[in-house]
Amino acid sequence: DADVTQTPRNRITKTGKRIMLECSQTKGHDRMYWYRQDPGLGLRLIYYSFDVKDINKGEISDGYSVSRQAQAKFSLSLESAIPNQTALYFCATSEGVGEQYFGPGTRLTVT
Amino acid sequence: AQSVTQPDIHITVSEGASLELRCNYSYGATPYLFWYVQSPGQGLQLLLKYFSGDTLVQGIKGFEAEFKRSQSSFNLRKPSVHWSDAAEYFCAVGAQGTYKYIFGTGTRLKVLA
């Protein structure tokens, strides 16, 4: 089984809809991250969490919110989706500032 | 400002040829350096990492990278490329005591048969 799983893998939604992307990990890591990937821009950090009670904004958090339901679960929500949030979203975990383990990604399209 | 630069957006090499992907960084603290590979439809997988010690590090799939502090570089190399190496490669920097990883914009590798 994969160390980091993301659901759904693909999602098409309409402008204004609320959507949640879910991430689960079996690595036992405290740190979890949400990134978005856009062509030519690399990965940009949306939110990160060091533990269940420690959640922080990244560089592009506007329009997004997160919930850390448990050490193993970290969800990303788009309260009112807009077309420029169309992107590939990745969840990742790490132990300290070591290697990050990435999920397979969620491809989100907002029409 | 902290940054990671991958100057080559696309690189094309023939199968069996050698490969070097460039990565330059600007980072105030002593960096932790990473190379990741992303195959189509997949997440990112770690190829190798440098924290300290020997500046030439070996990774998976026959890749290696050399940390050159004087040049602020961490270039990725492979002596003989295989068709399965076609993918996008990302250089990343982190540091002890911070939460943040900075990723380069990636280099897409195409391998000609």
Side-chain angles (χ1 to χ4, degrees):
Chain A
D1 289 340
D3 295 323
V4 183
T5 57
Q6 292 183 236
T7 56
R9 293 294 311 278
N10 290 281
R11 181 72 181 267
I12 299 173
T13 192
K14 294 185 183 297
T15 297
K17 293 291 188 181
R18 183 179 189 276
I19 182 170
M20 179 182 287
L21 309 183
E22 298 186 336
C23 175
S24 294
Q25 55 114 345
T26 58
K27 298 294 293 182
H29 293 161
D30 288 330
R31 296 188 178 195
M32 297 188 73
Y33 310 79
W34 275 105
Y35 293 94
R36 67 176 279 175
Q37 183 181 25
D38 299 278
L41 296 179
L43 274 74
R44 293 182 291 167
L45 183 64
I46 306 172
Y47 271 93
Y48 63 100
S49 171
F50 284 175
D51 65 37
V52 173
K53 297 181 180 180
D54 185 359
I55 294 176
N56 304 276
K57 294 181 177 180
E59 58 185 305
I60 55 163
S61 59
D62 288 348
Y64 301 94
S65 62
V66 291
S67 173
R68 186 85 182 264
Q69 300 95 324
Q71 186 200 36
K73 297 185 181 295
F74 193 37
S75 301
L76 176 72
S77 294
L78 287 67
E79 297 302 325
S80 179
I82 56 176
N84 77 0
Q85 291 177 314
T86 293
L88 188 55
Y89 290 84
F90 286 104
C91 175
T93 74
S94 74
E95 189 67 47
V97 191
E99 171 186 358
Q100 287 188 303
Y101 293 81
F102 286 85
T106 294
R107 186 168 296 281
L108 176 65
T109 302
V110 183
T111 63
Chain B
Q2 300 167 346
S3 65
V4 175
T5 301
Q6 294 181 246
D8 304 304
I9 299 174
H10 298 278
I11 283 185
T12 300
V13 299
S14 297
E15 191 170 20
S18 63
L19 172 69
E20 183 169 32
L21 303 182
R22 295 182 289 166
C23 174
N24 293 96
Y25 66 90
S26 172
Y27 206 81
T30 299
Y32 293 172
L33 297 158
F34 307 86
W35 274 101
Y36 291 89
V37 60
Q38 184 182 23
S39 299
Q42 304 292 318
L44 280 72
Q45 179 186 20
L46 183 74
L47 285 175
L48 47 78
K49 61 189 176 187
Y50 173 78
F51 286 177
S52 64
D54 191 344
T55 56
L56 183 64
V57 294
Q58 303 297 320
I60 63 171
K61 304 184 181 186
F63 285 92
E64 66 178 27
E66 186 171 12
F67 171 55
K68 293 186 177 180
R69 184 185 299 276
S70 61
Q71 298 177 20
S72 297
S73 69
F74 189 56
N75 293 348
L76 182 71
R77 301 193 293 249
K78 186 169 186 178
S80 177
V81 170
H82 188 263
W83 64 265
S84 61
D85 293 324
E88 190 157 22
Y89 292 80
F90 292 92
C91 180
V93 177
Q96 187 62 267
T98 76
Y99 68 89
K100 192 174 181 178
Y101 298 82
I102 301 172
F103 285 82
T105 52
T107 297
R108 186 170 296 278
L109 174 66
K110 181 177 180 180
V111 180
L112 301 177

